[in-house]
Amino acid sequence: MMTIKPIIAMMNDDQKLNQKKVIEFINDLLSKKEKEDIDLGIFKDYLKIQQLDDDSPYREISEKIMNRIERENISDYKEYLSGLEDDGVHFVPFYSNEYPESLLCIPDPPLCLFIDGDPASLSNGVAVVGTRSAHD
C-alpha cells in the first residue's frame, strides 16, 4: 500500500500550490483518517468529495492537487523517497512531530523537509539553505 508520504513529496515540488492551503486540506483529512490508513485511492476520493461540495473551502485546492496527481507518476516519488531513506536522508512531513512548529508560522511553509542528519536536532532551530523556486 502506498502511504501519503509520496503524495506530500509530489505536492511539495509544485510551487504553484498554496502550501498553507494544502496543509489545511491535509489536516482536515487527517482529522478524519489516520495517516497510516490514507493511500492514493482514499486521497483521490477525498479530493473528489471536496470538488463536488460547492461549500467546501478546499474545492479549488483539491482541483489543483488532482490535476497534479493526474500528471505525475506517484510511484516515482515512492521510489525517490525509498532511495533517500537508503542514503540516510530523513523525510519529515509537516504533520510529523519532528517538523519544526515555527516553520508552520511562515507564509508559505514547505510540506516536508529532507534532513541529512538527526531530525531531532531541528528542535534547537533550523536554517534553510537553497531556494524553492530557482531561476536564472
Side-chain angles (χ1 to χ4, degrees):
M1 178 170 99
M2 185 177 300
T3 67
I4 194 172
K5 288 181 179 182
I7 300 167
I8 299 283
M10 179 217 49
M11 290 185 296
N12 193 66
D13 279 354
D14 191 339
Q15 297 304 306
K16 294 178 184 172
L17 288 177
N18 178 317
Q19 304 295 336
K20 272 268 204 230
K21 197 69 170 178
V22 172
I23 289 171
E24 290 174 19
F25 171 78
I26 294 173
N27 278 334
D28 186 62
L29 174 57
L30 291 173
S31 73
K32 296 166 178 54
K33 288 265 189 198
E34 294 294 322
K35 62 183 170 283
E36 296 82 16
D37 297 333
I38 301 171
D39 61 12
L40 182 58
I42 289 171
F43 192 81
K44 287 171 93 173
D45 287 346
Y46 195 68
L47 289 169
K48 290 174 189 172
I49 290 167
Q50 299 305 313
Q51 290 173 15
L52 294 172
D53 182 356
D54 291 335
D55 297 326
S56 172
Y58 307 114
R59 187 172 184 182
E60 183 179 334
I61 196 74
S62 64
E63 289 172 2
K64 290 179 181 180
I65 294 168
M66 183 65 86
N67 288 337
R68 178 69 191 233
I69 287 174
E70 290 172 351
R71 290 190 322 262
E72 296 289 338
N73 183 352
I74 301 293
S75 295
D76 290 346
Y77 283 91
K78 183 178 181 182
E79 290 175 28
Y80 175 69
L81 292 177
S82 178
L84 287 176
E85 187 177 294
D86 291 345
D87 291 340
V89 176
H90 301 272
F91 176 77
V92 181
F94 72 89
Y95 55 77
S96 169
N97 292 335
E98 295 171 323
Y99 189 95
E101 194 172 318
S102 59
L103 272 182
L104 293 173
C105 298
I106 67 173
D108 194 24
L111 296 176
C112 59
L113 301 172
F114 299 92
I115 310 298
D116 188 8
D118 182 9
S121 64
L122 294 174
S123 64
N124 298 327
V126 62
V128 178
V129 178
T131 182
R132 292 182 47 211
S133 56
H135 52 69
D136 293 331

